[in-house]
Amino acid sequence: MITLGIETSCDETSCAILEDSDRILSNITSSSLEKHQPYGGVVPEIASRHALENIYIVFEEALKQANKSFQDIGLVSVTYGPGLIGSLLVGVSFAKALAFSRNLKLIGVNHLEAHLEANFLQNPRPNEPFLGLIVSGGHTITVNHDNCKYEKIGETIDDAVGEAYDKVAKLMGLGYPGGPILDRLAQNGDSKRFRFTKPKLANELDFSFSGIKTAVLHLVEDLKGNLEKEIPNIAASFQHSVINWLVEGVRKASQKTGARYVVIGGGVSANSLLRSKLLELGNELNVTILIPPFSLTLDNGAMIAKSGYDRFVGGYGDTAHLDLSAVPNLRIGA
Ligand code: KG4
Ligand code: ZN
């Protein structure tokens, strides 16, 4: 079966053609990233306008690269949340129009779940419950996946980890998105130069990243004229702290659930330190860590196609109807 995956939840407009369970024939993404850079963050109106102007171009390019025609598509899978309402509506409306025109099966996919499911394009889905870690610009969540159901274990009580990266980079005038910039700078910095206190939380399975952002702000103010030469050290110290907190959260969650598999997803899963620290944790706890290839860490249509296909074939995702709508605050496991 040929599945079309459509992703427009934030600043990326992406379409992918998936053959059967895991053959990605094409995965085309048009990003509006550059248009947001002058503002230091995503401007929703610009993101949705970009999606509207590019969705059909991206769709045609995905078909062309896959060497398929519209007639070959058997299932349309689309992100319906969470995300920016304007951007989501572009993808959902486009998917509904395609499905209506050829009476195709339509399935709505949860973007957060799809970030985890991206892993199963390369590795088989574990035949047992697994722990998921979703780390992106908008979310930091640990979940338990059991028998096709996701259940939340821990989450950030304030900023998402990607958001903290973006804000810290912005306050040092380094540009957007901050994650890859700080990750690169951290390679040449001393991670022990600055110490950041781990926030105390009522629930030890939760996370918090807004305090460290404020701590960096005060540090930057104190450093004044000496900031420039300390930037790599701040990047390394910040990265060392937030990644250790994340990894500790995964350790506690996996000890609580007893999971033998940990599956990671979302933009921050591209982070070099997070990847290496989690692999170390996996060795220590004798747990298998699944991390998506770099090409599937950022928002993309292939993970949406995969998630939709598996739900459809497995019979655990209701086929959507033409009244499918965007749900900006869609929760995991909903
Ligand atoms: O999943 P994603 O593409 O979009 C959302 O759904 O939010 O994630 C984007 C986030 C941004 O906050 C970006 O700074 C972060 O992922 N990111 C990284 C890295 N690459 C991207 N954060 C840390 N280290 C990286 N290498
Ligand atoms: Zn995402």
Side-chain angles (χ1 to χ4, degrees):
M1 175 150 89
I2 298 292
T3 303
L4 166 68
I6 303 172
E7 157 61 37
T8 63
S9 68
C10 189
D11 54 346
E12 264 105 24
T13 304
S14 186
C15 288
I17 303 291
L18 182 73
E19 186 171 45
D20 298 331
S21 166
D22 53 16
R23 285 200 53 215
I24 304 171
L25 300 183
S26 64
N27 191 16
I28 307 293
T29 302
S30 167
S31 177
S32 56
L33 197 79
E34 275 180 14
K35 297 180 185 166
H36 304 286
Q37 265 157 355
Y39 305 96
V42 172
V43 182
E45 172 61 23
I46 294 177
S48 56
R49 194 177 299 242
H50 181 90
L52 191 58
E53 287 168 358
N54 288 279
I55 184 79
Y56 193 74
I57 302 169
V58 169
F59 166 65
E60 281 205 309
E61 187 58 30
L63 283 176
K64 194 170 146 206
Q65 273 204 19
N67 210 7
K68 296 287 174 197
S69 76
F70 182 27
Q71 307 306 318
D72 296 319
I73 295 172
L75 174 68
V76 179
S77 176
V78 62
T79 304
Y80 75 107
L84 303 170
I85 181 71
S87 300
L88 285 168
L89 279 172
V90 173
V92 169
S93 310
F94 188 70
K96 288 201 287 190
L98 292 181
F100 177 68
S101 71
R102 278 200 42 238
N103 204 15
L104 292 170
K105 298 279 184 218
L106 173 71
I107 196 151
V109 164
N110 182 315
H111 179 85
L112 301 175
E113 296 174 13
H115 266 303
L116 296 179
E117 313 255 332
N119 285 279
F120 310 137
L121 284 162
Q122 294 230 323
N123 293 289
R125 178 188 289 275
N127 272 330
E128 57 183 277
F130 64 81
L131 179 72
L133 170 71
I134 300 159
V135 274
S136 72
H139 297 87
T140 307
I141 307 179
T142 49
V143 281
N144 188 44
H145 179 274
D146 188 4
N147 202 13
C148 314
K149 268 273 171 223
Y150 283 98
E151 189 196 342
K152 192 155 59 196
I153 296 178
E155 74 178 322
T156 179
I157 60 162
D158 40 53
D159 291 354
V161 61
E163 186 181 357
Y165 267 95
D166 294 338
K167 287 179 175 171
V168 162
K170 186 177 180 182
L171 65 88
M172 292 195 284
L174 298 174
Y176 174 84
I181 300 171
L182 292 176
D183 191 6
R184 186 170 36 79
L185 286 166
Q187 310 302 320
N188 300 317
D190 173 7
S191 64
K192 297 199 174 68
R193 178 86 172 92
F194 302 105
R195 292 248 166 244
F196 298 109
T197 317
K198 186 167 193 242
K200 291 210 170 32
L201 295 164
N203 178 353
E204 60 166 18
L205 295 163
D206 283 341
F207 304 93
S208 164
F209 298 104
S210 80
I212 190 166
K213 170 201 66 193
T214 312
V216 174
L217 177 65
H218 291 149
L219 180 62
V220 166
E221 285 167 356
D222 291 348
L223 285 167
K224 292 198 190 87
N226 294 322
L227 175 63
E228 199 65 27
K229 69 175 192 332
E230 296 286 6
I231 283 179
N233 298 332
I234 298 174
S237 303
F238 167 81
Q239 172 142 299
H240 174 83
S241 296
V242 294
I243 298 301
N244 274 329
W245 301 344
L246 275 179
V247 173
E248 278 316 297
V250 172
R251 177 198 294 279
K252 289 191 183 113
S254 74
Q255 281 164 346
K256 180 185 152 100
T257 63
R260 295 191 304 156
Y261 289 85
V262 177
V263 180
I264 325 297
V268 185
S269 66
N271 186 269
S272 59
L273 189 64
L274 180 63
R275 294 170 87 95
S276 62
K277 289 264 176 196
L278 283 173
L279 292 174
E280 274 171 32
L281 182 75
N283 281 335
E284 185 197 321
L285 301 181
N286 202 15
V287 160
T288 304
I289 308 282
L290 299 184
I291 306 179
F294 282 108
S295 58
L296 297 174
T297 53
L298 297 180
D299 293 350
N300 66 87
M303 68 184 195
I304 306 305
K306 172 65 177 165
S307 194
Y309 174 86
D310 280 4
R311 288 182 162 266
F312 181 68
V313 172
Y316 61 93
D318 291 339
T319 311
H321 302 285
L322 293 175
D323 59 359
L324 177 71
S325 193
V327 182
N329 57 356
L330 183 67
R331 300 183 73 77
I332 195 147

